[in-house]
Amino acid sequence: MMRKLPPLNSLRSFDAIARNGSISKAALELKVSSSAVSQQVSILEDWMGVKFLKRTSNKTSLTREGVEFANEINSVFDTLEKNIFHTQKKVNHNEIKLSIIPSLATRWLINRLPIYSALYPDYSVMVEASFDLVDFTKKELTIAIRSGAGSYSGCQSEKLFDEYITPVCSPEYWKKNKTSLVEIGACSLLADHTFGKDETNLNWTSWIAREGIIPSTKIQPIQFYTDSNLTIQACINGEGFMLGRSILINEELRKGGLIEPFKEKQVSDWPYYIVYHSINDPLRGALRSFIEWLKREAAKTPGIVR
């Protein structure tokens, strides 16, 4: 039996007007002209025999029937959107689409991915390096790895690992600028603005204060970076001291490109978390295997807090 429904485009146009409050804003959302949106609503009104819009020379508003119908349509579209998203997420269990911060991708994940591919040859991984928080309802992503507080709305999060924070520099810089933590403010300090906020121990002033140290010179970084990869490279180049995150600098410490001149270390205020949409709980397929693999790799990573 054929469904007795008005044209879908007319419903979409009406819903867009109701949500945006105007025909022009609805047209922008739908990427069509205002006249096209208005015409679609007229088609809907004719089909249903009900007036939904009050049209004046300078304003368009909903009638009482329009408000009631808008609420019903909005609820239907919300349900449809959720069901579509749920179906999309269930379709392909063999593909992982990962969003990860660039520095962790470069300095931790990339060299380990071949291990996963060898263990699970039927599963594929697509990596997107990004700092942005992920809206899983709008992006075709399966999982994210982030550094932060670990609470993300609508998502499940599991701690991947903690790490240490300590000042580091190149061996060459240390030879020329041997100093104490009390006097480190007189040296060149590099600031990594990739992570954290001023009150976390990823900030020079906060880190020094938590050691109970009163510096002889004001703590004032001279270079600022928005990518940890850049901060690390500048430090390797002998530009000054940086607050090194043990996971990210472990390889450079092993190679000798960086050294830890001081014994003082602090556990980072911003651990790394695995994040995925709650709709994927319980875990299954490739996502389950990938998260279990991430945890195994994390457990044997040098530089983690044990």
Side-chain angles (χ1 to χ4, degrees):
M1 180 177 177
M2 184 180 293
R3 293 185 184 277
K4 296 180 179 179
L5 295 172
L8 180 59
N9 281 341
S10 68
L11 292 173
R12 290 185 66 218
S13 296
F14 175 65
D15 173 66
I17 292 173
R19 286 185 291 99
N20 288 284
S22 77
I23 291 177
S24 60
K25 291 180 180 178
L28 285 173
E29 177 184 310
L30 298 174
K31 296 180 175 59
V32 297
S33 67
S34 295
S35 60
V37 173
S38 182
Q39 183 181 17
Q40 285 297 325
V41 176
S42 295
I43 291 172
L44 179 65
E45 291 175 327
D46 291 342
W47 195 93
M48 296 190 66
V50 180
K51 285 294 180 185
F52 293 131
L53 297 184
K54 298 176 186 176
R55 295 176 173 88
T56 62
S57 58
N58 60 357
K59 185 178 180 181
T60 300
S61 59
L62 299 183
T63 63
R64 180 173 59 82
E65 293 81 5
V67 171
E68 293 176 355
F69 191 56
N71 290 334
E72 294 172 0
I73 289 298
N74 186 64
S75 177
V76 169
F77 279 162
D78 279 349
T79 301
L80 180 61
E81 186 177 43
K82 289 177 182 177
N83 288 337
I84 289 172
F85 173 71
H86 184 76
T87 301
Q88 286 177 325
K89 287 295 180 182
K90 291 170 65 177
V91 168
N92 190 353
H93 297 333
N94 296 332
E95 184 178 44
I96 294 294
K97 294 182 178 179
L98 167 69
S99 175
I100 182 172
I101 48 182
S103 54
L104 192 63
T106 302
R107 300 181 178 276
W108 185 77
L109 179 69
I110 293 300
N111 291 337
R112 290 173 168 81
L113 269 183
I115 300 172
Y116 177 79
S117 297
L119 290 171
Y120 303 96
D122 294 333
Y123 296 158
S124 63
V125 182
M126 185 277 287
V127 179
E128 175 187 281
S130 173
F131 297 106
D132 298 332
L133 292 179
V134 174
D135 186 342
F136 287 102
T137 65
K138 294 181 179 179
K139 297 198 70 174
E140 294 184 0
L141 291 166
T142 315
I143 184 175
I145 300 178
R146 290 292 181 266
S147 175
S151 178
Y152 305 94
S153 177
C155 297
Q156 300 290 330
S157 63
E158 302 180 40
K159 186 182 288 186
L160 184 60
F161 37 42
D162 280 294
E163 65 184 346
Y164 295 104
I165 305 293
T166 189
V168 298
C169 65
S170 70
E172 294 75 19
Y173 187 83
W174 180 248
K175 288 177 184 177
K176 298 175 183 178
N177 300 275
K178 289 186 177 180
T179 187
S180 65
L181 285 174
V182 172
E183 298 175 339
I184 199 169
C187 298
S188 297
L189 304 182
L190 312 178
D192 187 344
H193 284 188
T194 306
F195 304 102
K197 299 178 180 179
D198 290 346
E199 62 269 21
T200 71
N201 62 353
L202 302 172
N203 171 274
W204 272 105
T205 302
S206 297
W207 192 93
I208 291 291
R210 292 191 194 183
E211 291 299 322
I213 295 170
I214 300 176
S216 60
T217 305
K218 183 179 180 181
I219 300 297
Q220 184 63 53
I222 63 166
Q223 295 179 23
F224 302 83
Y225 299 92
T226 58
D227 185 338
S228 293
N229 287 318
L230 298 177
T231 319
I232 293 170
Q233 189 58 54
C235 198
I236 293 170
N237 292 347
E239 299 297 327
F241 287 97
M242 70 171 287
L243 284 174
R245 297 187 68 158
S246 57
I247 300 297
L248 302 184
I249 64 171
N250 173 68
E251 187 65 15
E252 300 304 332
L253 292 174
R254 186 185 68 82
K255 292 178 180 177
L258 294 176
I259 60 171
E260 298 175 331
F262 310 105
K263 67 179 185 301
E264 289 80 1
K265 296 181 179 180
Q266 298 175 20
V267 178
S268 171
D269 288 344
W270 276 33
Y272 297 92
Y273 287 91
I274 298 168
V275 186
Y276 55 91
H277 197 283
S278 297
I279 201 170
N280 285 320
D281 190 27
L283 298 171
R284 57 192 181 275
L287 181 58
R288 178 177 179 178
S289 74
F290 191 64
I291 289 178
E292 289 176 348
W293 173 79
L294 285 173
K295 291 177 179 177
R296 292 197 300 270
E297 288 300 311
K300 57 187 181 183
T301 297
I304 64 172
V305 177
R306 301 186 185 278

